Amino acid sequence: MASVVKINVLTVPAEQREILEQRFAARAGSVESSDGFEWFELLRPLEGTDQYLVYTRWRSEADFEAWMAGSMRGAHKPAEADSASGEKPKPAATGSTLWSFEVVQSTGPKASDASNAS
C-alpha cells in the first residue's frame, strides 16, 4: 500500500504570516502521535505567492481520515476569546484548498560509507 500525501494550500496575507507560523508552532506535536502519520512540513513561500503549503504524509487514506475525524478536530478547534477584548482571534488564512496525492516514487539521501573515507 502506498503512502498518501495531503497538501493544504493556505492563502495567507503578508501581515498574517507570523501569526500563522506561531499558531502552528503552538500546536507542534499534535499530529505526530497519530496512527499512520509519517511526516509534516509547513512551507513558507519565498516569492511570487501568498500561499503556504502544509505538507503531511500518511500511511493510508484511512489513517488520514481517522485523524480528520478525531484528533484533528481538537488541534483545529476555534481559538479561545482574548481575555482583554473578548474577541476570538481571526483565522490567519483567507483561503484553503486541500490537494491529495498517492506516493508512487520516493527516495532519500544515499548513506555514506565511512569505511571508504581516507
Side-chain angles (χ1 to χ4, degrees):
M1 182 182 300
S3 296
V4 295
V5 169
K6 301 295 181 173
I7 300 174
N8 194 359
V9 183
L10 302 176
T11 303
V12 182
E15 65 275 7
Q16 294 292 100
R17 286 180 165 199
E18 186 175 343
I19 292 168
L20 177 87
E21 291 179 22
Q22 288 173 352
R23 288 180 183 170
F24 269 93
R27 62 175 169 244
S30 63
V31 70
E32 287 90 329
S33 60
S34 300
D35 191 42
F37 170 80
E38 295 178 351
W39 200 260
F40 163 86
E41 290 178 319
L42 176 62
L43 306 176
R44 176 193 305 137
L46 294 177
E47 58 187 38
T49 184
D50 59 355
Q51 294 181 317
Y52 275 71
L53 301 181
V54 182
Y55 172 100
T56 57
R57 191 172 74 198
W58 299 86
R59 177 179 55 210
S60 69
E61 182 69 25
D63 289 321
F64 171 74
E65 289 175 7
W67 174 74
M68 287 285 290
S71 61
M72 183 282 297
R73 298 209 181 280
H76 290 83
K77 68 182 177 190
E80 298 295 322
D82 180 279
S83 57
S85 68
E87 294 181 15
K88 290 187 177 185
K90 295 177 184 172
T94 59
S96 174
T97 302
L98 184 64
W99 296 342
S100 298
F101 299 88
E102 182 176 61
V103 177
V104 292
Q105 289 185 7
S106 182
T107 189
K110 290 183 179 182
S112 62
D113 188 353
S115 64
N116 288 337
S118 10

